[in-house]
Amino acid sequence: MKIGELAKQSGLTPHTIRYYERIGLLPRAARDHARQRDYDATILSWIEFLGRLKATGMPIRDMLRYAELRARGVATEPKRRRLLERHREAVRAHVTALQDCLLVLDGKIAGYAGSSERTNDDDAISARPIHDDERHAIRRQPRSGSPGARPARAR
Amino acid sequence: MKIGELAKQSGLTPHTIRYYERIGLLPRAARDHARQRDYDATILSWIEFLGRLKATGMPIRDMLRYAELRARGVATEPKRRRLLERHREAVRAHVTALQDCLLVLDGKIAGYAGSSERTNDDDAISARPIHDDERHAIRRQPRSGSPGARPARAR
DNA sequence: GCTTGACTTAGAGCGCGCTCGAACCCGTAG
DNA sequence: CTACGGGTTCGAGCGCGCTCTAAGTCAAGC
C-alpha cells in the first residue's frame, strides 16, 4: 500500500503520515524499488490507536513515549500499561469535568427559558468552582519541567 | 479590584486578562484615577462562564460571538440560547466519543494483563471506527471556508 | 518522447491561545 | 528623594500540531 492509499484508509493526509514518521510516531516505512513508502495493512491498527490517544487529548510527546516503548519490545509492556492507566485516569477526569460543565450549560440554557421570561441572567450559575486543570481544557503544565530543562530564552 | 487581584480570584494571569480584553472577550474595564483597570466583582462570574466554554472546547472565536451578542443586550437572547444549545450538543458528542475511547483504552490495558501473559497484542481492539470529528479531538474545520469541505489539496 | 500524476525531501508557514519583554507611569513607605 | 511594587501599552515570541511549497524523481499511458 502506498502513502496515498494509506491516507485514504486512515483518514490522515500523506503530509501528516510523513510528519508522523519523521517525528517517530510511525515506524520508518519500508520502501519499494522506487524508494516510495510501501505499507503493510497492519499499520492501520496502530494509526487508529494513535487516533484514540489523540482524540482523548494525549499530547504527541506522550504518544511518542508510548511508541518508543512499543518499539523496544515486550519487555516494556508494564511501562506501557502504566502509561495507559495514567492516561485513562486523566481522560476519566476530563469526562467528569465536561459533564459538570454540561450541567452549567443546561442551567444557562434554562435561564434563557421559553423564548423570553427572565430578563435578568447575566451569568453565574455555578455547579462547583472550576479546578484549574479543567479550566485549561486538558492537562496543562507550566510549560517547562522545573528541575533543569529550561528553554533558556536567549536574549 | 485591580487587575492583579482579579487575576488571583479568577485564576487567569494579568497578561491573559488584558489579552481577553483586547480581543473583546472581556468588556473594556473601567479605569481609576490613575488609568488603571478597576474591576467590579461581577466580572468574575463572566470569567468563570468563559472558563466553562473553554473547558468544553469552544474556540475563542465562538466565545467572542457569544460575548458580542451579550453586549448587544437582551434582544439577542434567543441567538445566545441557540449558540449554547449547539455547543451543548457538540460537548455531548465529545463526551460520547471519549467514553468510547475509554472502552478501547480499557481493552488495551486488559491486553497487558496481570504482569505478563499475552505476548501478542500489537494494537487493534476496536470498539467502533473513529469518526473524523473525534479523531481530530474537538470539532476541527477545514481551516478556511470552502463549501466543499475537504482540505482541498491545492496544487 | 512527452505528459500526467503520485510520490520524494527539506524546510518554511500557519492558526490557535496565550505569554512575555521592554519601556514607561503611579502611589506609597522609608 | 528614592526605591519598589504594582500598573500601563505595544508588539514580538512560543509551543503545539500540523500544512503546505518547491523542486525533484519515477512509471505508466498516449
Side-chain angles (χ1 to χ4, degrees):
Chain A
M1 193 181 358
K2 288 200 282 182
I3 199 170
E5 182 58 23
L6 179 62
K8 257 165 222 153
Q9 306 240 355
S10 66
L12 303 177
T13 70
H15 278 312
T16 303
I17 293 171
R18 289 191 206 98
Y19 165 69
Y20 280 0
E21 180 177 321
R22 230 186 306 164
I23 66 174
L25 263 194
L26 297 179
R28 172 148 178 89
R31 304 308 178 105
D32 67 9
H33 60 100
R35 299 216 312 277
Q36 298 192 350
R37 289 172 181 80
D38 191 5
Y39 292 97
D40 182 322
T42 61
I43 195 75
L44 275 168
S45 48
W46 173 235
I47 291 179
E48 174 176 337
F49 185 63
L50 287 177
R52 297 288 184 175
L53 295 181
K54 174 174 152 190
T56 48
M58 182 183 283
I60 282 187
R61 89 185 77 88
D62 292 359
M63 296 189 218
L64 220 39
R65 291 218 316 116
Y66 185 85
E68 276 156 10
L69 289 174
R70 180 170 172 271
R72 292 209 277 118
V74 295
T76 65
E77 289 196 358
K79 285 189 177 191
R80 284 186 257 165
R81 184 188 178 180
R82 281 194 292 278
L83 198 156
L84 293 188
E85 283 169 345
R86 255 179 285 120
H87 181 57
R88 180 172 60 180
E89 279 322 296
V91 177
R92 283 181 182 155
H94 186 202
V95 166
T96 302
L98 286 180
Q99 282 166 339
D100 188 59
C101 287
L102 276 175
L103 293 181
V104 175
L105 230 34
D106 287 342
K108 190 77 172 175
I109 288 167
Y112 293 138
S115 56
S116 62
E117 181 116 8
R118 304 201 67 39
T119 307
N120 147 23
D121 71 291
D122 262 24
D123 328 300
I125 296 168
S126 222
R128 181 172 65 83
I130 315 179
H131 180 276
D132 211 56
D133 288 355
E134 304 164 26
R135 171 152 31 232
H136 300 299
I138 258 188
R139 293 168 310 144
R140 220 168 172 350
Q141 296 150 260
R143 177 131 292 175
S144 68
S146 26
R150 309 227 82 228
R153 209 46 142 292
R155 233 205 158 236
Chain B
M1 194 179 1
K2 288 201 282 181
I3 200 171
E5 182 57 24
L6 179 61
K8 258 164 223 154
Q9 306 240 357
S10 67
L12 302 177
T13 70
H15 278 311
T16 303
I17 293 171
R18 288 191 206 100
Y19 166 69
Y20 279 1
E21 181 177 323
R22 230 188 303 164
I23 65 174
L25 263 194
L26 297 180
R28 172 148 178 89
R31 304 308 178 105
D32 67 10
H33 60 100
R35 298 218 311 276
Q36 297 192 350
R37 288 172 181 81
D38 190 6
Y39 292 98
D40 181 324
T42 61
I43 194 76
L44 275 167
S45 49
W46 174 235
I47 291 179
E48 174 176 335
F49 185 63
L50 287 178
R52 297 288 183 176
L53 295 182
K54 176 175 150 190
T56 48
M58 182 184 282
I60 280 187
R61 89 186 76 88
D62 292 359
M63 296 189 217
L64 220 40
R65 292 218 317 115
Y66 186 84
E68 278 156 9
L69 290 174
R70 180 169 173 274
R72 292 209 277 117
V74 295
T76 65
E77 289 196 356
K79 284 189 179 189
R80 284 185 258 164
R81 183 188 180 180
R82 281 193 293 279
L83 199 156
L84 292 189
E85 282 169 346
R86 255 179 284 121
H87 182 57
R88 180 172 60 181
E89 278 322 297
V91 177
R92 283 182 182 154
H94 185 202
V95 167
T96 302
L98 286 179
Q99 282 166 339
D100 188 58
C101 286
L102 277 175
L103 292 181
V104 175
L105 231 34
D106 287 343
K108 191 76 172 177
I109 288 166
Y112 293 137
S115 57
S116 62
E117 180 116 10
R118 303 201 67 40
T119 307
N120 147 23
D121 71 292
D122 263 22
D123 327 301
I125 296 171
S126 222
R128 180 172 66 81
I130 314 179
H131 180 276
D132 212 56
D133 288 355
E134 305 164 24
R135 172 153 31 233
H136 300 299
I138 259 187
R139 293 168 311 142
R140 219 171 175 348
Q141 293 152 259
R143 173 134 296 174
S144 71
S146 139
R150 284 268 91 202
R153 243 64 143 291
R155 223 149 203 250

